[in-house]
Amino acid sequence: MRIIIIFLVASFWFISCQQSSTNIASESKNKEEFPFFIPNEKPDRPLSAAVKRNYEAYEHIRPEQNELYTQFKYTKLKGFDYNGGDGTLTRRDPSKVIFENGKYYVWYTYRNTPVKSVGMARAKEANDTIPSADWDLAEIWYATSEDGFTWEEQGVAVPRPPKPHVGWRSVTTTDILKFKGKYYLYFQAFMEASGLRGDFCPVSVAYADSPDGPWTHSNKIVIPNGPKGSWDQYSIHDPYPLVHDGKIYLYYKGDFDKRPELKPSKIRMQGLAIAEDPLGPFIKHPLNPVINSGHETTLFPFKKGVAALVIKDGMERNTIQYAEDWVNFEIASIVEMMPVAGGPYITDAFTDTKDGRGITWGISHFTNAGGDWKNNHSILTRFDCDLSVDIHDDQMKEHYIKYSPEDHYKKRLSAKQHARIKEQNNKLKQ
Ligand code: AAL
């Protein structure tokens, strides 16, 4: 018996050695070294997984030739005051930008309260004048611009309706749809101070015949929270409508699976709901969530499909993704310093295009703009990029951003991390 076992082990070892040498042998079928001038098409030779990915996963093997790779540049906007940054006035979560009546339009969350927000953790202290979160007790305002850099605030578009109407606590995080000549603003409709239970809300809609209003609040929940136990049972955030296939494709974010023992604990993913009529019914896609990472939604028609800026959270954050079928997204590029809550100017957002041209600029936001959570407020900013098939701006296609030593030293170790390192050093000396 012992001899049989020894024989079996020896023969298994021999076969496995043979196999690994066969693998190496087969890989060494590569008669030549990988070439200095990299082939544009995938060469007929065994490739490593990484080089294979360069040919199969991305549109191009070089970032500068990848239409869905870009750097982002930012410009301060003129025309918005923030009460000296004391936390009482915030503008954030801008919509897409549209061009009508010879000018640009953007809508956004506007909070102007007598005192600054107390923070979601202290939501119990919130009342009719004390906001919990930066976006609590907010309305939807809008501004116009001739050039996208200097803006003129026009005032309120959708005010908070009286209690118990949909969104009576706060109407926030809006986005614009133009469909069959009418205009629609979708927005988060809070019926409780954010933070009391969580950042919980559904989505409602208002409509108008002109981008300047007057807006009629539907007082309807058009994207309801999901059923109990579902991923989007509490948060339907960042509604983002585009027109595709003659329908409204509305992407949104859901926050879920908050586990106090994990930090940061929430998972954020993005879903899709589709309707034939802007006032619904919206049918949530059976494959939801359709994007496995990200935070605020920013998407644009691109060639036959749709591209998405996937920012901040999740395993695939800091990527630009693409779905030719508008549902199944793949990573198209890895990028940095992405616009947060970006609202791009998209020429073909509502044209049901089959040849999306892409984007070159938009409006986004910076939260905690003063760097002091005690006076937390957000500001709007402009971003520029080259995610367009109609331009080639090589200054936007550089491979990386060179951060200064000071930029790196800003991310300094905490006292807790220093203590851990000191303990590790001490252990070595014992
Ligand atoms: C934003 C968006 C939604 C959230 C909050 C306000 O960045 O994700 O709108 O509810 O934060």
Side-chain angles (χ1 to χ4, degrees):
M1 187 61 175
R2 180 194 292 266
I3 293 169
I4 293 169
I5 290 168
I6 292 168
F7 171 75
L8 286 175
V9 169
S11 49
F12 175 76
W13 175 78
F14 176 76
I15 291 164
S16 59
C17 282
Q18 280 294 82
Q19 268 177 351
S20 64
S21 60
T22 311
N23 287 346
I24 292 170
S26 73
E27 281 147 15
S28 71
K29 260 192 216 149
N30 286 336
K31 299 175 192 54
E32 297 126 30
E33 298 298 313
F34 193 77
F36 177 82
F37 292 104
I38 194 165
N40 277 330
E41 301 304 321
K42 187 169 86 170
D44 175 18
R45 54 177 283 140
L47 296 170
S48 66
V51 174
K52 206 179 286 180
R53 199 164 46 244
N54 239 22
Y55 287 100
E56 294 172 354
Y58 305 115
E59 183 194 68
H60 239 284
I61 48 183
R62 285 182 166 86
E64 60 270 24
Q65 293 171 299
N66 178 351
E67 295 285 12
L68 285 179
Y69 170 79
T70 187
Q71 288 202 347
F72 296 94
K73 301 210 170 180
Y74 295 89
T75 310
K76 271 188 187 170
L77 296 179
K78 292 183 181 130
F80 294 120
D81 164 66
Y82 290 91
N83 290 353
D86 67 0
T88 58
L89 176 46
T90 208
R91 294 182 184 85
R92 58 177 291 154
D93 294 303
S95 70
K96 295 191 289 289
V97 175
I98 64 171
F99 189 79
E100 296 284 349
N101 310 322
K103 53 193 172 187
Y104 296 110
Y105 285 76
V106 70
W107 290 260
Y108 44 86
T109 301
Y110 176 91
R111 172 180 63 78
N112 191 354
T113 44
V115 294
K116 51 204 168 189
S117 55
V118 293
M120 292 172 75
R122 294 169 52 194
K124 287 194 175 69
E125 299 168 40
N127 59 29
D128 291 350
T129 54
I130 300 176
S132 60
D134 187 31
W135 55 93
D136 187 26
L137 294 178
E139 299 182 314
I140 293 163
W141 281 40
Y142 78 113
T144 58
S145 173
E146 302 292 325
D147 63 2
F149 292 97
T150 301
W151 290 83
E152 184 184 346
E153 189 152 70
Q154 299 301 327
V156 66
V158 182
R160 278 193 299 131
K163 202 170 182 180
H165 283 57
V166 173
W168 66 269
R169 176 71 197 182
S170 198
V171 287
T172 83
T173 322
T174 190
D175 201 15
I176 185 80
L177 165 74
K178 183 177 181 180
F179 193 76
K180 294 182 182 167
K182 283 179 83 85
Y183 299 84
Y184 300 83
L185 282 173
Y186 295 89
F187 52 87
Q188 294 177 206
F190 286 91
M191 266 74 89
E192 63 184 49
S194 178
L196 275 180
R197 293 184 297 148
D199 199 17
F200 296 177
C201 62
V203 161
S204 184
V205 66
Y207 49 85
D209 294 324
S210 154
D212 292 296
W215 295 89
T216 302
H217 188 335
S218 66
N219 196 27
K220 266 181 76 175
I221 292 175
V222 287
I223 315 279
N225 296 99
K228 185 171 169 39
S230 64
W231 75 287
D232 62 353
Q233 66 177 334
Y234 293 128
S235 307
I236 308 284
H237 291 167
D238 304 285
Y240 193 101
L242 294 169
V243 174
H244 172 60
D245 213 10
K247 301 183 185 78
I248 296 102
Y249 272 54
L250 189 144
Y251 295 87
Y252 64 94
K253 162 167 71 80
D255 291 1
F256 61 112
D257 195 354
K258 183 173 174 63
R259 293 173 193 247
E261 71 276 15
L262 297 177
K263 190 171 176 357
S265 73
K266 267 191 272 193
I267 290 183
R268 294 180 172 93
M269 294 191 181
Q270 300 184 352
L272 167 63
I274 301 172
E276 306 208 350
D277 183 298
L279 301 182
F282 279 87
I283 309 300
K284 293 181 180 178
H285 200 282
L287 287 182
N288 276 348
V290 293
I291 294 181
N292 68 13
S293 299
H295 199 103
E296 298 88 356
T297 43
T298 303
L299 300 100
F300 52 93
F302 188 76
K303 297 186 179 172
K304 288 185 201 149
V306 66
L309 302 193
V310 183
I311 68 172
K312 286 176 26 177
D313 296 298
M315 295 302 289
E316 296 182 353
R317 67 197 179 288
N318 294 335
T319 60
I320 295 175
Q321 302 201 11
Y322 178 71
E324 187 167 280
D325 66 359
W326 290 64
V327 175
N328 291 290
F329 287 82
E330 300 289 349
I331 294 175
S333 72
I334 297 162
V335 288
E336 53 190 317
M337 274 186 98
M338 300 182 84
V340 176
Y345 169 58
I346 310 173
T347 54
D348 46 20
F350 314 128
T351 60
D352 198 357
T353 181
K354 302 291 180 283
D355 181 23
R357 310 307 296 171
I359 60 170
T360 60
W361 72 278
I363 303 297
S364 58
H365 78 200
F366 295 124
T367 57
N368 190 21
D372 169 8
W373 284 108
K374 288 194 297 299
N375 292 328
N376 183 25
H377 71 287
S378 306
I379 66 171
L380 300 176
T381 185
R382 172 177 168 129
F383 70 88
D384 282 86
C385 62
D386 176 4
L387 291 169
S388 165
V389 294
D390 293 325
I391 66 160
H392 181 80
D393 179 343
D394 55 11
Q395 289 178 302
M396 290 290 189
K397 299 286 185 181
E398 286 162 16
H399 289 190
Y400 60 88
I401 294 166
K402 186 161 173 23
Y403 298 96
S404 70
E406 290 66 33
D407 290 332
H408 289 81
Y409 293 137
K410 272 181 212 157
K411 297 294 286 174
R412 63 173 65 87
L413 288 169
S414 67
K416 186 178 170 189
Q417 289 169 324
H418 273 296
R420 169 177 53 75
I421 294 164
K422 189 174 178 186
E423 188 188 341
Q424 284 168 322
N425 289 339
N426 291 340
K427 271 188 188 153
L428 284 175
K429 293 170 191 162
Q430 282 163 2

